[in-house]
């Protein structure tokens, strides 16, 4: 065993400190913060969907401060070109003469906030998504490694769809999570009003550095994934395909194998956050909706009925049992 | 508690859960088989019990037990693919106890075993479905028990050996033995019959069941049966007459006494001259009674008379037994009804008119015909009663009725003269005539009158 219970507890404590710090900055978004940290530890990119002003940018800013990692923000617009985010070679005078020197774009940061990603042209989106997948950019045949760790937190506005380029399904698949930023309730709003001042950023305590974060991410890989949990993940993903479950009747295209890997990785990250050495069914269930909801394409009729992907995934979780074993008729589920 | 102890405890709990699930699977398969074999077993038990040579209960139960064991093994073999492993039981437990797969992880040697909970909180999440489990057992028990307890008629003779000699011989020998036991019949007469039987038996065995032999046997048996029947009748009459003279002579009219006297004399005569005569001792006793003095019956003491009657009665009963209850010896009449019977038959002996309704009382018997003597009641319905229709001879009038003709009154269209409405087939009656008895009588009189 490469990782000990002691290390697990230490990492869990660090993560708890990070979580508390973020909760102290962003009020009423505990679940969002929990899942964002989970996504980061699972080496995933996150797509945040929500109305403006709900704290998406603040979450990214606070995260970067707490983690003490370099953060850059890119506002995506229709006229944004790939080179604007990846960087361009610029002709410069050097001792050897004039040379094209690569000037890194805003992608070269540990944490990139791609604001309103659906407003950029497909070409620019594609460049970003390639960088997300391969963690490097290639300009004029020359590859440039992105810094480690590298995360993209993209946002998109679900209501202003005019003049946007919705992300194709294949590109959505690159995001580990799609998180919906919920609006705050009255109590939370009151708390925000009392404790925040417009235009003044809250002070965020640095609780971790990039090295610690990298260590924790390595530890996540060491988390034990029992065979039964792996089997559950496989059956869940398989259940999104036609004929494999009742829910699948409402799905046109099911989730990819990358979805299964994402589920496993996210479940491990959540187990570490919870201070456990192994992933469990509960971890899989907790991350199933953010992992799967943007990876399935619903039937037209299902969308017309107003059923969302979240509801379909919830039904899938209800339908697929954790254990693939039948119960004999001589036994019945205990009432209490 | 050490880590090893905790591990052992969890493994024990898992084994228990595993056994529970596997036994449930086995029961799922075994209980239908149990019901099926019980029904089959019940059928076999009923069949065997209905035969004479049924095997013992121990063998039946042993067979049932072997069948159950075989089915149990079959159920185990066919449900093996459903059986869960200990690892599956761990998963079940940690799922129910919200242990986040800690048991599975610890079982793989990664991480520590979670602390064991108290016995009360251990729940695999599965309870026994008792009604489903117990019902097949109860049904099976009820079916098998019913098969053992329900009354069954044993079918005999199905497996018995064929008779070694004609049955008629055995029957006659039985009858003769019964008559011998009464010691009333002349031994020589019985020996004559025995000789006839032995003569038949003296034939080669291959001829015992020949047509002629069977004919002769049946003829001899029928003759003996009739003789025994006659003997029983005569004995019964003699005993009854003596009984009447002994106990009811004071109440009888002279006509009745004469009737009984004639009957007694005839019975004694028959007993004396019959094919099966009474032995000399008995005959002597009966002959000692002077028929002319029977009216007063002062020749024998009451004890002697009772003894004589008892012997006659015993002989009559033996004859009846030997003749399988056949015979014409008024079996339905009790002693007290005898006089009434005779008076009814003879109109009190001395008179031809109605009786007096008893021996010494009452205004007399009611007349047989009531109402207007001129009216013979020919127009009345009268059902002929024949309670024993099996004895009705062909042509006997069983009943008579009077009803209207069944005339088809439905309207019909005019028909052409000579047109045949129904062609009929060969042998059919094309003209049916049914007349009422009165009409038939009228018709008969009409055609007879010119001749007369």
């Amino acid at each position: 065993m490469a990782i000990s219970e002691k290390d697990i507890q230490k990492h869990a404590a660090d993560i708890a400190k990070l979580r508390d710090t973020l909760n102290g900055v962003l009020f009423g978004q505990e679940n969002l913060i929990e899942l964002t940290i989970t996504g980061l530890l699972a080496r995933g990119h996150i797509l945040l969907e929500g109305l403006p002003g709900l704290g998406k940018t603040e979450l990214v800013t606070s995260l970067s401060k707490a983690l003490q990692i370099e953060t850059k923000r890119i506002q995506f617009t229709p006229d944004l070109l790939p080179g604007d985010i990846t960087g361009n070679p610029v002709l410069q005078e050097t001792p050897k003469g004039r040379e094209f020197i690569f000037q890194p774009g805003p992608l070269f940061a540990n944490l990139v906030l791609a604001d309103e990603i659906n407003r950029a042209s497909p070409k620019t989106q594609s460049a970003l998504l390639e960088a997300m997948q391969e963690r490097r950019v290639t300009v004029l045949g020359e590859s440039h490694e992105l810094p480690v760790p590298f995360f993209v937190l993209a946002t998109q506005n679900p209501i202003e769809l005019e003049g946007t380029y919705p992300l194709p399904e294949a590109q959505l698949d690159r995001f580990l999570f799609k998180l919906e930023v919920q609006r705050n309730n009255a109590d939370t709003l009151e708390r925000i009003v009392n404790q925040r001042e417009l235009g003044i950023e809250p002070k965020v305590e640095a609780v971790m550095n990039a090295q610690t974060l990298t260590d924790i991410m390595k530890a996540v890989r060491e988390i034990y994934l029992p065979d039964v949990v792996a089997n559950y993940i496989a059956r869940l993903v398989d259940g999104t395909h036609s004929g494999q479950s009742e829910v699948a009747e409402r799905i046109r295209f099911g989730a990819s194998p990358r979805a299964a890997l994402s589920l496993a990785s996210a479940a491990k990250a959540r187990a570490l956050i919870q201070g456990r050495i192994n992933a469990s069914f509960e971890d899989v269930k907790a991350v199933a909706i953010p992992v799967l909801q943007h990876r399935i394409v619903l039937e037209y009729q299902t969308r017309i009925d107003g059923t969302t992907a979240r509801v379909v995934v919830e039904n899938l979780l209800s339908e697929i049992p954790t254990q693939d074993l039948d119960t004999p008729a001589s036994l019945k589920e205990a009432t209490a | 508690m050490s880590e090893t102890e905790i591990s052992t405890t969890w493994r024990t709990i898992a084994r228990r859960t595993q056994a529970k699930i596997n036994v449930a699977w086995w029961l799922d398969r075994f209980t239908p088989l149990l019901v099926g074999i019980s029904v089959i077993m019940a059928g076999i038990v009923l069949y065997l019990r209905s035969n004479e040579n049924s095997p013992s209960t121990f063998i039946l139960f042993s067979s049932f037990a072997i069948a159950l064991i075989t089915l149990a093994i079959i159920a185990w073999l066919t449900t093996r693919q459903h059986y869960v492993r200990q690892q599956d039981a761990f998963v079940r437990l940690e799922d129910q106890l919200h242990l986040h797969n800690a048991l599975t992880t610890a079982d793989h040697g990664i991480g520590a075993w979670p602390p064991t909970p108290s016995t009360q909180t251990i729940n695999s999440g599965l309870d026994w479905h008792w009604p489903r489990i117990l019902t097949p057992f109860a049904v099976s028990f009820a079916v098998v028990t019913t098969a053992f307890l329900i009354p069954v008629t044993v079918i005999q003779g199905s497996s018995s050996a064929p008779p070694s000699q004609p049955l008629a011989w055995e029957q006659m020998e039985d009858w003769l033995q019964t008559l011998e036991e009464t010691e009333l019949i002349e031994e020589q007469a019985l020996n004559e019959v025995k000789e006839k039987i032995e003569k038949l038996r003296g034939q080669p065995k291959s001829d015992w069941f020949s047509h002629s032999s069977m004919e002769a046997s049946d003829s001899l048996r029928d003759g003996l049966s009739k003789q025994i029947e006659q003997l029983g009748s005569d004995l019964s009459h003699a005993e009854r007459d003596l009984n009447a003279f002994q106990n009811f002579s004071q109440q009888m009219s002279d006509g009745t006494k004469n009737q009984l006297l004639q009957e007694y004399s005839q019975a004694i005569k028959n007993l004396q001259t019959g094919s099966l005569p009474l032995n000399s001792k008995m005959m002597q006793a009966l002959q000692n009674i002077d028929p002319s003095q029977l009216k007063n019956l002062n020749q024998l003491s009451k004890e002697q008379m009772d003894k004589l009657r008892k012997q006659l009665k015993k002989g009559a009963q033996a004859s009846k037994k030997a003749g399988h209850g056949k015979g014409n010896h008024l079996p339905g009449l009790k002693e007290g009804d005898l006089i009434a019977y005779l008076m009814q038959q003879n109109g009190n002996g001395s008179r031809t008119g109605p009786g007096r309704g008893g021996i010494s009382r009452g205004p007399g018997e009611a007349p047989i015909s009531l109402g207007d003597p001129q009216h013979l009641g020919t127009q009345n319905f009268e059902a002929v009663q024949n309670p024993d229709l099996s004895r009705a001879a062909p042509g006997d009038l069983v009943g008579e009725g009077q009803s209207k003709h069944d005339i088809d009154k439905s309207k019909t269209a005019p028909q052409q003269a000579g047109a045949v409405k129904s062609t009929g087939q060969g042998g059919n009656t094309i003209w049916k005539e049914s007349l009422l008895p009165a009409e038939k009588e009228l018709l008969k009189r009409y055609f007879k009158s010119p001749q007369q």
Side-chain angles (χ1 to χ4, degrees):
Chain A
M1 189 171 64
I3 190 167
S4 66
E5 291 268 6
K6 190 179 172 184
D7 292 336
I8 296 286
Q9 296 307 321
K10 180 180 174 297
H11 293 320
D14 290 341
I15 294 164
K17 208 180 289 180
L18 172 66
R19 186 175 54 210
D20 293 343
T21 302
L22 293 176
N23 281 329
V25 176
L26 204 63
F27 300 144
Q29 299 288 1
E30 290 81 6
N31 192 41
L32 176 69
I33 290 167
E34 176 95 15
L35 287 170
T36 303
I37 296 172
T38 306
L40 292 182
L41 298 184
R43 295 169 180 265
H45 309 287
I46 298 169
L47 177 62
L48 296 169
E49 190 174 85
L51 298 172
L54 288 179
K56 297 188 288 288
T57 309
E58 189 171 346
L59 170 66
V60 176
T61 311
S62 304
L63 200 57
S64 67
K65 287 178 181 171
L67 294 173
Q68 299 184 76
I69 54 178
E70 187 184 1
T71 303
K72 287 190 178 161
R73 178 175 183 272
I74 309 168
Q75 183 64 48
F76 278 62
T77 55
D79 57 352
L80 192 71
L81 296 175
D84 295 339
I85 59 171
T86 59
N88 285 309
V90 178
L91 190 62
Q92 288 185 351
E93 287 287 344
T94 63
K96 298 176 186 174
R98 290 179 181 172
E99 284 185 12
F100 280 103
I101 305 290
F102 179 72
Q103 292 296 318
L107 271 184
F108 287 81
N110 296 114
L111 188 60
V112 177
L113 173 62
D115 219 357
E116 296 194 274
I117 187 174
N118 54 343
R119 292 201 177 280
S121 65
K123 188 192 284 183
T124 310
Q125 289 174 0
S126 181
L128 171 67
L129 294 166
E130 183 192 353
M132 286 164 56
Q133 177 65 25
E134 299 176 8
R135 296 181 188 275
R136 67 181 174 214
V137 293
T138 304
V139 178
L140 293 177
E142 190 177 347
S143 293
H144 305 276
E145 295 291 329
L146 292 170
V148 178
F150 174 72
F151 304 111
V152 174
L153 270 71
T155 70
Q156 64 178 11
N157 189 333
I159 54 171
E160 294 175 8
L161 298 176
E162 196 175 344
T164 61
Y165 302 91
L167 292 172
E169 314 304 336
Q171 293 184 355
L172 278 175
D173 196 29
R174 307 283 169 82
F175 288 100
L176 177 73
F177 287 167
K178 179 187 175 188
L179 302 176
E180 292 164 358
V181 186
Q182 304 294 331
R183 72 171 188 85
N184 299 307
N185 58 25
D187 292 340
T188 309
L189 286 174
E190 184 183 351
R191 193 175 162 201
I192 292 170
V193 169
N194 285 332
Q195 298 189 17
R196 290 281 181 277
E197 199 74 36
L198 192 64
I200 299 175
E201 288 190 1
K203 188 179 178 185
V204 179
E205 184 187 357
V207 295
M208 210 181 282
N209 56 31
Q211 185 57 47
T212 310
L213 181 62
T214 307
D215 291 344
I216 295 176
M217 287 163 63
K218 280 182 184 171
V220 167
R221 289 184 175 181
E222 305 291 333
I223 294 294
Y224 176 65
L225 183 74
D227 292 342
V228 286
V229 179
N231 176 264
Y232 180 52
I233 291 170
R235 283 185 291 114
L236 267 183
V237 173
D238 189 50
T240 62
H241 292 271
S242 178
Q244 303 303 315
S245 67
E246 289 181 18
V247 174
E249 299 301 316
R250 294 189 279 171
I251 300 172
R252 177 176 290 177
F253 299 112
S256 64
R258 188 185 285 144
L261 292 173
S262 301
L263 266 177
S265 186
K268 284 182 179 181
R270 187 175 183 273
L272 183 68
I273 292 170
Q274 303 261 323
R276 279 183 280 110
I277 200 167
N278 65 287
S280 67
F281 296 132
E282 289 82 356
D283 297 325
V284 176
K285 287 176 182 174
V287 299
I289 291 173
V291 169
L292 293 177
Q293 66 176 344
H294 61 289
R295 287 185 159 97
I296 57 176
V297 180
L298 300 182
E299 286 284 357
Y300 179 72
Q301 186 61 44
T302 309
R303 293 203 301 271
I304 292 296
D305 293 342
T307 306
T308 60
R310 165 183 278 270
V311 173
V312 171
V313 176
E314 283 173 351
N315 292 341
L316 183 70
L317 289 171
S318 304
E319 185 183 334
I320 306 291
T322 52
Q323 254 188 313
D324 190 20
L325 294 173
D326 294 329
T327 305
S330 296
L331 293 175
K332 59 181 180 182
E333 293 294 334
T335 50
Chain B
M1 193 180 278
S2 69
E3 188 73 6
T4 311
E5 287 172 337
I6 293 173
S7 162
T8 307
T9 306
W10 276 118
R11 287 185 193 282
T12 306
I13 295 168
R15 270 198 296 273
R16 233 175 271 154
T17 304
Q18 179 191 7
K20 189 177 187 178
I21 296 170
N22 292 347
V23 167
W25 277 116
W26 179 79
L27 282 173
D28 275 7
R29 185 61 53 89
F30 178 70
T31 47
L33 296 175
L34 174 67
V35 173
I37 195 68
S38 299
V39 172
I40 294 169
M41 179 71 186
I44 292 170
V45 168
L46 286 174
Y47 173 75
L48 293 176
R49 283 183 61 209
S50 66
N51 280 282
E52 284 179 291
N53 303 321
S54 62
S56 67
T57 310
F58 174 75
I59 294 174
L60 286 173
F61 272 114
S62 302
S63 308
F64 190 45
I66 291 168
L68 285 181
I69 292 168
T70 308
L71 290 180
I73 293 170
I74 290 170
W76 177 72
L77 290 173
T78 54
T79 51
R80 269 194 308 175
Q81 74 262 21
H82 292 293
Y83 287 173
V84 298
R85 303 162 301 159
Q86 194 181 48
Q87 288 79 0
D88 299 321
F90 275 139
V91 175
R92 172 110 214 155
L93 282 170
E94 61 200 8
D95 204 20
Q96 286 297 316
L97 300 174
H98 305 291
L99 295 175
H100 295 278
N101 297 95
L103 296 176
T104 305
T105 307
D107 186 45
H108 279 77
I110 302 165
W113 288 91
T116 50
S118 62
T119 314
Q120 287 77 17
T121 56
I122 295 173
N123 182 10
S124 61
L126 295 170
D127 286 340
W128 289 107
H129 202 310
W130 288 116
R132 186 188 167 87
I133 295 168
L134 294 181
T135 303
F137 282 97
V139 168
S140 302
F141 180 76
V143 167
V144 174
T145 308
T146 305
F148 274 103
L149 298 181
I150 195 170
V152 174
T153 306
V154 177
I155 302 168
Q156 292 181 339
S158 58
S159 59
S160 59
S164 58
Q165 60 180 358
L167 287 173
W169 300 355
E170 292 178 7
Q171 284 178 326
M172 285 189 286
E173 283 169 346
D174 285 347
W175 297 347
L176 291 175
Q177 190 180 350
T178 306
L179 290 175
E180 272 183 344
E181 287 170 1
T182 61
E183 297 176 352
L184 285 175
I185 309 301
E186 193 66 45
E187 199 172 340
Q188 189 183 352
L190 296 176
N191 288 336
E192 284 176 8
V193 181
K194 283 182 183 175
E195 282 173 11
K196 290 178 183 174
I197 298 171
E198 287 304 320
K199 194 177 176 184
L200 288 170
R201 192 173 276 137
Q203 304 174 96
K205 274 195 173 183
S206 57
D207 292 341
W208 280 8
F209 292 95
S210 66
H211 181 72
S212 58
S213 174
M214 296 299 282
E215 281 270 324
S217 299
D218 289 347
S219 174
L220 185 61
R221 183 189 59 186
D222 294 343
L224 182 60
S225 175
K226 282 178 184 170
Q227 289 165 15
I228 292 171
E229 189 179 334
Q230 183 62 41
L231 174 69
S233 176
D234 292 338
L235 286 170
S236 183
H237 277 114
E239 187 271 336
R240 190 186 63 201
D241 295 341
L242 284 177
N243 178 36
F245 281 123
Q246 185 185 5
N247 298 319
F248 306 105
S249 60
Q250 301 300 322
Q251 302 162 0
M252 285 190 289
S253 64
D254 288 342
T256 306
K257 285 181 180 177
N258 289 335
Q259 169 82 12
L260 287 177
L261 194 57
Q262 286 177 11
E263 195 177 306
Y264 177 75
S265 301
Q266 183 63 41
I268 294 300
K269 191 179 174 185
N270 289 342
L271 288 171
Q272 196 172 2
T273 60
S275 305
L276 293 173
L278 289 182
N279 61 25
S280 54
K281 188 181 171 186
M282 189 67 189
M283 209 61 223
Q284 185 91 30
L286 288 172
Q287 284 173 345
N288 286 341
I289 299 171
D290 183 1
S292 61
Q293 297 301 318
L294 266 175
K295 294 178 188 175
N296 300 324
L297 210 70
N298 51 6
Q299 294 172 308
L300 296 173
S301 66
K302 188 175 184 302
E303 289 74 21
Q304 289 173 315
M305 200 67 185
D306 285 344
K307 188 179 177 185
L308 188 59
R309 274 185 53 222
K310 195 175 176 183
Q311 283 185 316
L312 290 172
K313 197 171 184 179
K314 185 181 170 188
Q317 285 174 347
S319 303
K320 189 179 174 183
K321 183 184 170 190
H324 290 272
K326 294 179 190 171
N328 183 23
H329 18 107
L330 307 176
L333 291 177
K334 296 176 182 174
E335 288 179 352
D337 299 332
L338 180 64
I339 305 304
Y341 169 75
L342 288 169
M343 291 172 76
Q344 188 182 356
Q345 292 292 315
N346 301 315
N348 206 18
S350 58
R351 290 186 294 174
T352 55
R356 291 186 295 149
I359 300 301
S360 60
R361 58 185 170 80
E365 191 175 280
I368 292 174
S369 58
L370 299 174
D372 184 5
Q374 302 300 318
H375 178 60
L376 299 177
T378 54
Q379 301 298 317
N380 293 342
F381 281 120
E382 190 174 11
V384 178
Q385 291 187 345
N386 185 4
D388 187 6
L389 290 175
S390 64
R391 291 173 182 268
D396 278 3
L397 182 62
V398 178
E400 187 175 83
Q402 190 173 22
S403 62
K404 290 183 179 179
H405 290 291
D406 183 17
I407 300 169
D408 183 10
K409 292 182 178 178
S410 58
K411 293 178 180 177
T412 56
Q415 293 180 351
Q416 189 182 352
V420 180
K421 191 177 179 183
S422 175
T423 55
Q425 293 181 349
N428 280 7
T429 304
I430 59 167
W431 176 260
K432 291 181 181 176
E433 184 183 54
S434 60
L435 296 174
L436 298 177
E439 292 168 332
K440 281 183 181 174
E441 188 64 28
L442 179 66
L443 205 61
K444 199 182 283 178
R445 279 206 304 274
Y446 175 79
F447 283 109
K448 276 184 180 176
S449 55
Q451 294 172 354
Q452 289 170 352

